[in-house]
């Protein structure tokens, strides 16, 4: 079975400051890793994903995440946040041989002007 | 990218009535669709997985007779909440994956159900 831990339920950060949202997972099989973002009263949008290859993946809006197999982590980072980044962020894993996705509890990012 | 729609986006109903929520993949064939439930300030909880043309697989603790799922075509799945009660009020989100998009799920915008 797989599980996902997001240690920080809420992360307040000032505008233009850097941020890191932590994600750790446990799995006995190989997994794909995802970060999803959810704006208020909306569905989920895929932010970035790691399937294979380079362990550092980037999104089009400045976020990046690095897959660390030894630490079973997939932390999300952004060097300078904007007000519009305020949202709920979910880390998720999916076994490579099955398309079921397991979500973490989520981290609420609040960007303070 | 692949687009998934849900209808309605929100619904209010009286206790005891049934509500049907539709999930459509607009530009790809969804061999598998997933239904999730999300309570306020919480994560998504998988309710069931449905493959086109076969019965849905429900997660432990989800009442299959209360949450009826139909996946009759490669572009449409429906979730019917039967005899809804106030505790069924929640945000319901569907997602879809297709043969050429293995392991990536595309999420619908969600349906807010409020049962009075």
């Amino acid at each position: 079975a797989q599980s996902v831990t997001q240690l920080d339920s809420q992360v307040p950060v000032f505008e233009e400051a850097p941020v890191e949202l932590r994600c750790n997972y446990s799995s006995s099989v190989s997994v794909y890793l995802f970060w999803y973002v959810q704006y208020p009263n909306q569905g989920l949008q895929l932010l970035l994903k790691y399937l294979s290859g380079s362990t550092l993946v980037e999104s089009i809006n400045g976020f990046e995440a690095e897959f660390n197999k030894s630490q079973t982590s997939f932390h999300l980072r952004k060097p300078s946040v904007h007000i519009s980044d305020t949202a709920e962020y979910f880390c998720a894993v999916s076994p490579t041989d099955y398309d079921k996705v397991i979500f973490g509890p989520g981290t609420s990012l609040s960007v303070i002007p | 990218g692949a687009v998934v729609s849900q209808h309605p986006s929100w619904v209010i109903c009286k206790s005891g009535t049934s509500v049907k929520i539709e999930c459509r993949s607009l530009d790809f064939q969804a061999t598998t669709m997933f239904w999730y439930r999300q309570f306020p300030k919480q994560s998504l909880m998988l309710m069931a997985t449905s493959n086109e043309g076969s019965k849905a697989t429900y997660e432990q603790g989800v009442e299959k007779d209360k949450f009826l799922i139909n996946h009759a075509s490669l572009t449409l799945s429906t979730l019917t909440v039967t005899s809804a009660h106030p505790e069924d009020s929640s945000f319901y989100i569907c997602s879809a994956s297709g043969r050429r998009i293995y392991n990536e799920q595309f999420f619908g915008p969600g349906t807010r159900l409020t049962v009075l």
Side-chain angles (χ1 to χ4, degrees):
Chain A
Q2 293 76 38
S3 67
V4 181
T5 303
Q6 293 180 247
L7 293 175
D8 307 304
S9 59
Q10 296 185 33
V11 174
V13 62
F14 285 104
E15 191 174 15
E16 297 183 1
V19 70
E20 178 180 80
L21 306 184
R22 295 180 291 172
C23 172
N24 290 87
Y25 70 93
S26 67
S27 177
S28 57
V29 299
S30 297
V31 295
Y32 298 130
L33 297 154
F34 307 88
W35 275 99
Y36 287 90
V37 59
Q38 184 180 34
Y39 298 101
N41 296 310
Q42 295 187 28
L44 270 69
Q45 301 175 32
L46 180 65
L47 191 59
L48 44 76
K49 62 186 177 187
Y50 171 78
L51 303 181
S52 65
S54 173
T55 57
L56 183 66
V57 290
E58 299 177 352
S59 72
I60 58 174
N61 56 353
F63 283 94
E64 66 177 30
E66 186 161 20
F67 169 52
N68 188 318
K69 188 174 182 179
S70 63
Q71 296 185 6
T72 60
S73 67
F74 191 53
H75 301 329
L76 181 70
R77 303 183 183 94
K78 188 171 185 179
S80 176
V81 295
H82 301 289
I83 296 292
S84 59
D85 294 325
T86 295
E88 192 80 17
Y89 291 80
F90 295 97
C91 181
V93 300
S94 175
T96 57
D97 60 350
Y98 184 54
D99 54 5
K100 184 173 180 176
V101 177
I102 297 93
F103 287 88
T107 296
S108 179
L109 174 64
S110 298
V111 180
I112 305 164
Chain B
V3 179
V4 176
S5 69
Q6 277 185 246
H7 179 78
S9 55
W10 59 270
V11 57
I12 302 173
C13 69
K14 292 182 179 180
S15 185
T17 60
S18 294
V19 175
K20 180 185 284 188
I21 302 170
E22 293 185 348
C23 176
R24 294 182 183 272
S25 58
L26 299 183
D27 50 3
F28 69 102
Q29 293 185 329
T31 52
T32 307
M33 286 187 168
F34 305 84
W35 287 96
Y36 295 85
R37 184 174 182 176
Q38 185 182 32
F39 290 106
K41 304 292 185 183
Q42 294 188 28
S43 188
L44 280 72
M45 299 300 296
L46 180 64
M47 298 173 65
T49 303
S50 72
N51 293 295
E52 183 264 337
S54 61
K55 289 184 178 180
T57 302
Y58 290 81
E59 295 298 301
Q60 193 172 10
V62 178
E63 300 175 58
K64 62 178 69 175
D65 293 331
K66 180 166 187 63
F67 298 99
L68 302 179
I69 292 172
N70 183 282
H71 191 170
S73 77
L74 286 172
T75 60
L76 174 65
S77 176
T78 60
L79 167 68
T80 301
V81 183
T82 62
S83 186
H85 292 284
E87 58 265 29
D88 298 324
S89 298
S90 189
F91 196 49
Y92 292 88
I93 303 175
C94 75
S95 71
S97 65
R99 295 191 185 96
R100 294 184 294 109
I101 322 171
Y102 187 64
N103 270 108
E104 182 165 352
Q105 294 184 23
F106 297 90
F107 286 82
T111 297
R112 173 77 59 193
L113 171 63
T114 302
V115 184
L116 303 177

